[in-house]
Amino acid sequence: MDKDILQSALKRNWKENCLEKIISSESAPAVGKNLNFLSTVERLNLKVVLGNGRVANKSIVWKFQSHDAQEFQNEFNKKYSTFKIETLMYNSLTQIEYIMEEFEDTEDVLWCKMVHHIPYSLIVMEDLKAEGFHLIERNTFYDLDHILLSVHCLGRFHAMCKTLEVRGLAPQVLKNWYVFDDRSMQNYLFWDLVALKDGIKKFWNPNWTPIVEKIKISIDDFQERLRKFSEVDETKFNVTNHGDCHKNNIVIKYSWDKRPISMRFLDFQLVHYGSPCIDLTYMLHLAVEPSVRRKNYDLILRTYHNALVNTLDKYRFQGKKPDINEIRDGMEKHSFFGLVLTLSWYPSLIRSEKMEEIHDFEKIEASGGKEGYSDEYCCPELLENTIGPDIKEFVDRFCKDS
């Protein structure tokens, strides 16, 4: 075909599907209540005219700092520049897409695309719901199919970020902080743990009381243990971590028979640099059903490791790649962190639709954790069979000398 004819045909075809004019717009909440902690996310439904004159419905999502956020949320955003970090990360993800093209990586991208941003208070993104991606049900966690897909994608994501790093394209600001080194965040985790302990003694079978009575770790010791996870071991393999990859920050697309086939990460506001086992620990303790994690632990680690190494090989990474034993050792090192996440945050995640009823942040902050938790926070019907074994493991491993 003549080049000029082909050029004309392609220009006409592509122009036909381009937006020419916005006729009207209407905004609505893009996520459920209590599903976005640091910002407000709205879906903008648009009626538009396309290049071919056809009227169509389109949608985008925009994210901005909430005007009615609680004071500690505003302080957290300000202290850690969460919107700046997320914006810088989205710019980096665009660079990764170029690298994917370079190496002919035809697997899915793992994020939504940023359309526009106002530094550093607003981000406009594509609407993944319009592409068929959804959160899982709010009161459920991942089964084996979901978590294997998710850790496969996490391994790919870490390898992509490592490729960006060795090319000198990763923003240096992402290396400068870690959310669980924040004293207020440590306090909330500790208060949640104490509230669970007190609730178990009050509402669970009395057989649990002598078990949880062994949880006598001091807040100073607790904070010091968490602080150590902010230390980067430069002798090990490190990556840019998502930093907050629990089940409410991942959306899934399904096949015709309801099997998970693709996923995207949301919310890159807590991105940081360190061991890949931080993200992997976070995902295993706040995304997957606890019994599935315990039963399939080694399979999950091997699935992650295979995806990480295979993607590094695809991108011709020349550095030292971690073997499966380094990943296992890293997960062991982060086991205290993982169990703390389960015991402190699982009770809230499984009841996220009632977060404000069971978890009053302002009252918790004002009372130093002594008030602000409803009786439902430690509901035995929801928690005893799910995280009960994790409570026993935490006590056996970390409370013998406390």
Side-chain angles (χ1 to χ4, degrees):
M1 179 182 287
D2 180 83
K3 184 183 72 173
D4 292 337
I5 295 176
L6 177 61
Q7 176 177 293
S8 178
L10 290 176
K11 287 175 66 175
R12 182 176 64 253
N13 178 266
W14 291 341
K15 183 177 186 301
E16 286 180 351
N17 294 293
C18 290
L19 184 147
E20 285 289 320
K21 180 182 178 181
I22 296 176
I23 299 174
S24 63
S25 65
E26 182 177 337
S27 64
V31 297
K33 189 176 182 181
N34 299 318
L35 285 183
N36 203 277
F37 183 70
L38 296 177
S39 55
T40 295
V41 184
E42 292 186 351
R43 175 171 290 104
L44 198 62
N45 298 305
L46 308 171
K47 181 174 287 188
V48 304
V49 178
L50 302 179
N52 61 5
R54 185 170 66 89
V55 175
N57 295 318
K58 300 289 184 180
S59 61
I60 57 172
V61 168
W62 56 14
K63 183 175 188 175
F64 52 90
Q65 294 192 41
S66 177
H67 301 302
D68 56 356
Q70 297 184 42
E71 183 177 352
F72 75 93
Q73 292 169 289
N74 290 325
E75 287 298 317
F76 189 93
N77 281 327
K78 182 178 179 180
K79 182 176 181 180
Y80 293 110
S81 303
T82 54
F83 269 81
K84 181 177 182 179
I85 285 174
E86 185 162 30
T87 303
L88 291 173
M89 189 62 192
Y90 271 116
N91 285 329
S92 294
L93 296 175
T94 299
Q95 297 298 319
I96 293 177
E97 291 178 29
Y98 299 150
I99 295 174
M100 292 177 70
E101 292 179 8
E102 177 185 341
F103 289 98
E104 299 181 349
D105 184 352
T106 57
E107 287 197 67
D108 287 345
V109 298
L110 301 171
W111 47 84
C112 65
K113 297 184 178 181
M114 182 172 68
V115 177
H116 179 66
H117 70 92
I118 298 176
Y120 290 106
S121 60
L122 181 142
I123 301 173
V124 182
M125 300 169 287
E126 66 174 331
D127 182 6
L128 290 175
K129 185 176 180 180
E131 301 298 321
F133 290 89
H134 301 276
L135 293 169
I136 66 167
E137 293 294 327
R138 296 181 67 167
N139 62 344
T140 62
F141 285 73
Y142 288 171
D143 60 17
L144 184 59
D145 286 343
H146 282 78
I147 192 58
L148 292 182
L149 170 65
S150 297
V151 295
H152 169 80
C153 293
L154 183 63
R156 288 184 59 224
F157 174 75
H158 284 163
M160 292 171 174
C161 290
K162 194 66 178 180
T163 304
L164 198 70
E165 177 192 337
V166 297
R167 293 191 176 197
L169 298 175
Q172 289 300 307
V173 68
L174 303 182
K175 291 191 174 186
N176 295 336
W177 78 297
Y178 175 51
V179 63
F180 290 105
D181 198 29
D182 177 74
R183 185 58 61 91
S184 62
M185 184 65 70
Q186 295 169 351
N187 287 341
Y188 273 109
L189 285 168
F190 181 80
W191 295 333
D192 287 352
L193 178 63
V194 172
L196 178 65
K197 171 186 173 179
D198 293 342
I200 288 173
K201 290 164 59 179
K202 185 176 180 181
F203 296 107
W204 289 29
N205 186 297
N207 292 336
W208 279 97
T209 297
I211 296 173
V212 297
E213 282 286 14
K214 297 177 183 178
I215 302 178
K216 297 178 180 178
I217 184 171
S218 70
I219 190 168
D220 291 338
D221 184 26
F222 184 85
Q223 290 171 340
E224 177 60 20
R225 290 190 186 209
L226 287 182
R227 188 199 62 77
K228 289 182 178 179
F229 296 117
S230 66
E231 299 173 353
V232 179
D233 184 350
E234 297 292 353
T235 68
K236 302 295 184 182
F237 182 84
N238 296 294
V239 299
T240 298
N241 283 282
H242 174 279
D244 198 22
C245 49
H246 60 74
K247 72 184 186 75
N248 291 343
N249 282 337
I250 299 170
V251 287
I252 305 286
K253 179 183 280 190
Y254 296 89
S255 65
W256 63 271
D257 56 352
K258 308 301 182 184
R259 291 184 302 107
I261 56 174
S262 185
M263 64 151 284
R264 299 285 190 273
F265 290 110
L266 307 175
D267 285 347
F268 291 91
Q269 295 179 318
L270 303 183
V271 170
H272 67 277
Y273 188 75
S275 168
C277 294
I278 295 175
D279 266 356
L280 191 54
T281 296
Y282 213 106
M283 184 176 281
L284 263 64
H285 287 270
L286 293 181
V288 63
E289 186 64 40
S291 62
V292 174
R293 162 177 42 88
R294 293 188 292 263
K295 183 178 179 180
N296 301 279
Y297 187 78
D298 196 61
L299 172 61
I300 294 169
L301 296 195
R302 286 188 282 109
T303 301
Y304 166 81
H305 179 258
N306 288 339
L308 173 70
V309 172
N310 290 340
T311 306
L312 289 171
D313 289 342
K314 179 183 293 185
Y315 290 170
R316 301 172 195 167
F317 176 70
Q318 298 300 309
K320 184 179 182 299
K321 297 183 284 288
D323 60 23
I324 185 62
N325 289 327
E326 182 174 328
I327 298 300
R328 290 187 179 119
D329 290 345
M331 294 299 289
E332 173 61 25
K333 175 185 175 183
H334 289 83
S335 57
F336 175 84
F337 172 57
L339 288 170
V340 164
L341 289 178
T342 295
L343 272 54
S344 298
W345 284 356
Y346 182 93
S348 295
L349 276 178
I350 202 170
R351 302 295 298 275
S352 58
E353 79 283 357
K354 301 184 71 174
M355 178 75 77
E356 292 178 348
E357 298 175 31
I358 67 174
H359 209 152
D360 187 328
F361 288 103
E362 289 187 342
K363 189 174 289 186
I364 293 169
E365 173 79 26
S367 66
K370 293 181 175 61
E371 299 178 11
Y373 298 92
S374 77
D375 292 347
E376 289 186 73
Y377 178 74
C378 55
C379 175
E381 289 79 11
L382 289 174
L383 301 180
E384 186 170 1
N385 292 328
T386 51
I387 65 171
D390 294 313
I391 294 171
K392 292 179 179 179
E393 182 181 356
F394 182 80
V395 169
D396 289 343
R397 296 188 61 183
F398 301 111
C399 299
K400 290 181 179 179
D401 301 322
S402 51

